[in-house]
């Protein structure tokens, strides 16, 4: 089987890199037809009109070059504007869209860049619907997100599927060996989805426990008045992230209270599970699709700093419990989200369209 991974997708973003790696693990030949637009854009959702000329030129090049000879075309994230070129290039071959997000939900409901009911809201919603409807199959990262996409675009059940995100196993491998002092680590973009306010508020409740926040973004201003036990590192090379997880006391997922936060399982959660680090994250419908609280993760109510602080303290005071949670998380990852498992699943999705 041969698949063309197509579009202006962010080549090194974990969702894209992991899907390509998983397909290759399953024996699928993946040919890339990529036009760079988002590489080097730390805040790609905030670049606005500055990116439009670059994006327009990229779409023209995609339409002109077409897609490699392949059985199917997968449009990667973020690729909402790539579907027109993909359909033109497909020439009867099936087109699969791997969107990860809704543009309207991300820029309005999550990031607050525009207001609900504004002209931008209408435009972004229309772009979402057009992109989702242009694909023969839309693959969401959770069932909760799949239901949201289906409702948004009025897709029938047979045109939407689910594949967990997983982790890149060339990097994220078992090796959890916590170092002293016990440190709760958060890695990710500082955006409302992740609940940075909840993490910082929890840190004030457990001043004896060290926190390490690795990342930058929209909410980094909150860190200017951070508690004394919170270390902030703006950037760590991606290849070094497994080392950070391996030596952590526990890894922190997301704690936001938005609708999107209830529907997603972030990259950082899978990466922690793959490394065997005990994961603490919000108890949401999406999280419960993969995780069982107390067995393979510690689940706490979203936006609840008291519950988060208590969970972190419990792990810090009970190394045996932390080790059990980490081992349970690794077992769940291997059974449901490993590259081997996801590669077979993605291959089956493609085969179903051929």
């Amino acid at each position: 089987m041969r698949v063309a991974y197509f579009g202006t997708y962010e080549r090194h973003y974990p969702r894209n890199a992991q899907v390509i790696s998983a397909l290759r693990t399953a024996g699928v030949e993946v040919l890339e037809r990529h036009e760079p637009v988002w590489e080097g854009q730390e805040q790609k959702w905030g670049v606005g009109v500055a990116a439009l000329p670059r994006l327009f030129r990229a779409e023209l090049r995609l339409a002109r070059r077409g897609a490699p000879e392949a059985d199917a075309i997968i449009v990667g994230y973020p690729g909402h504007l790539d579907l027109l070129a993909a359909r033109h290039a497909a020439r009867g071959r099936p087109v699969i869209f791997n969107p990860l997000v809704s543009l309207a939900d991300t820029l309005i409901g999550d990031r607050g860049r525009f207001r609900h009911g504004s002209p931008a809201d209408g435009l972004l919603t229309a772009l979402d619907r057009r992109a989702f409807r242009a694909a023969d199959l839309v693959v969401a990262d959770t069932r909760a997100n799949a239901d949201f996409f289906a409702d948004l675009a009025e897709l029938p059940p047979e045109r939407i599927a689910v594949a967990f995100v997983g982790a890149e196993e060339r990097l994220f491998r078992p090796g959890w060996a916590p170092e002293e002092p016990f440190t709760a680590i958060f890695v990710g973009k500082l955006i409302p989805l992740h609940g940075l306010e909840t993490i910082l508020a929890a840190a004030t409740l457990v001043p004896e426990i060290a926190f390490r926040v690795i990342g930058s973004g929209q909410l980094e201003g909150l860190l200017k008045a951070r508690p004394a036990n919170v270390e902030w590192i703006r950037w760590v090379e991606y290849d070094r992230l497994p080392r950070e997880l391996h030596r952590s006391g526990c890894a922190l997922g997301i704690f936001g209270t938005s609708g999107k936060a209830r529907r997603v399982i972030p990259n950082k959660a899978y990466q922690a599970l793959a490394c065997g680090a005990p994961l603490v994250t919000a108890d949401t419908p999406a999280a419960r699709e993969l995780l069982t609280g107390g067995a393979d993760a510690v689940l706490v109510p979203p936006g609840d700093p008291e519950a988060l602080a208590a969970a972190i303290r419990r792990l810090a005071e009970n190394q045996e419990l932390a080790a059990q949670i980490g081992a349970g998380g690794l077992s769940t990852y291997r059974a449901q989200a490993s590259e081997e498992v996801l590669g077979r699943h993605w291959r089956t999705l493609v085969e179903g369209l051929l």
Side-chain angles (χ1 to χ4, degrees):
M1 182 185 291
R2 178 182 290 179
V3 166
Y5 210 84
F6 183 93
T8 58
Y9 57 93
E10 191 175 354
R11 176 171 273 170
H12 300 297
Y13 192 81
R15 176 63 164 181
N16 295 316
Q18 195 278 335
V19 169
I20 292 171
S21 180
L23 282 166
R24 287 172 173 160
T25 297
V28 178
E29 183 180 1
V30 182
L31 307 175
E32 294 190 63
R33 180 56 49 83
H34 177 247
E35 289 293 339
V37 171
W38 310 112
E39 279 69 17
Q41 301 292 334
E42 182 180 348
Q43 296 295 324
K44 58 180 170 292
W45 300 119
V47 296
V49 295
L52 291 180
R54 188 166 64 250
L55 182 60
F56 180 71
R57 291 192 297 269
E59 296 300 335
L60 288 178
R61 288 193 295 270
L62 285 171
R64 187 167 55 246
R65 295 176 67 196
E69 287 299 319
D71 299 301
I73 295 174
I74 299 178
V75 175
Y77 159 85
H80 291 68
L81 297 180
D82 299 340
L83 268 294
L84 181 62
R87 285 255 63 118
H88 175 74
R91 302 186 185 282
R93 293 171 290 180
V95 174
I96 300 169
F97 187 25
N98 178 23
L100 194 61
V101 301
S102 145
L103 294 179
D105 186 42
T106 296
L107 291 172
I108 297 169
D110 182 31
R111 305 293 179 88
R113 299 288 186 185
F114 306 101
R115 291 180 294 103
H116 285 286
S118 67
D121 185 358
L123 174 61
L124 292 168
T125 300
L127 287 173
D128 279 335
R129 288 174 175 161
R130 181 175 180 178
F132 293 153
R133 291 171 181 173
D136 296 293
L137 183 70
V138 175
V139 182
D141 55 320
T142 65
R143 173 47 55 190
N145 240 357
D147 291 343
F148 176 77
F149 294 163
D151 288 344
L152 176 66
E154 298 179 343
L155 296 177
E158 64 272 15
R159 288 184 57 192
I160 194 152
V162 176
F164 286 137
V165 169
E168 296 165 84
E169 292 172 15
R170 68 181 181 87
L171 292 174
F172 298 96
R173 301 174 179 174
W176 181 64
E179 297 179 358
E180 295 294 338
F182 180 101
T183 302
I185 183 172
F186 169 87
V187 177
K189 293 178 181 177
L190 305 182
I191 55 178
L193 172 76
H194 293 158
L196 179 62
E197 303 97 324
T198 299
I199 294 171
L200 294 178
T204 65
L205 300 174
V206 282
E208 74 280 9
I209 295 176
F211 286 68
R212 182 180 296 115
V213 173
I214 299 175
S216 60
Q218 180 180 349
L219 299 180
E220 61 184 53
L222 295 174
L223 288 159
K224 293 179 180 178
R226 62 188 182 275
N229 57 328
V230 176
E231 177 188 13
W232 178 29
I233 302 172
R234 287 182 57 89
W235 176 255
V236 166
E237 291 292 336
Y238 191 62
D239 289 359
R240 287 182 52 202
L241 291 182
R243 166 63 177 153
E244 295 288 340
L245 290 167
H246 287 156
R247 68 191 181 114
S248 69
C250 68
L252 303 180
I254 60 172
F255 306 95
T257 57
S258 67
K260 183 178 176 181
R262 295 176 57 81
R263 298 193 307 270
V264 302
I265 305 172
N267 296 314
K268 64 178 66 59
Y270 292 101
Q271 291 163 356
L273 297 172
C275 287
L279 173 68
V280 184
T281 194
D283 186 359
T284 64
R288 289 194 292 271
E289 292 180 33
L290 176 69
L291 302 169
T292 301
D296 48 23
V298 178
L299 303 181
V300 299
D304 189 334
E306 289 80 11
L308 177 57
I312 295 171
R313 178 183 281 131
R314 190 161 66 251
L315 293 176
E317 294 176 347
N318 190 337
Q319 189 171 3
E320 182 179 351
L321 174 62
Q324 290 173 355
I325 295 293
L330 177 59
S331 178
T332 294
Y333 172 83
R334 285 171 168 164
Q336 299 192 54
S338 68
E339 286 194 354
E340 181 181 0
V341 169
L342 293 178
R344 290 197 302 267
H345 183 51
W346 273 96
R347 180 173 183 131
T348 299
L349 293 177
V350 176
E351 288 173 343
L353 294 173
L354 299 180

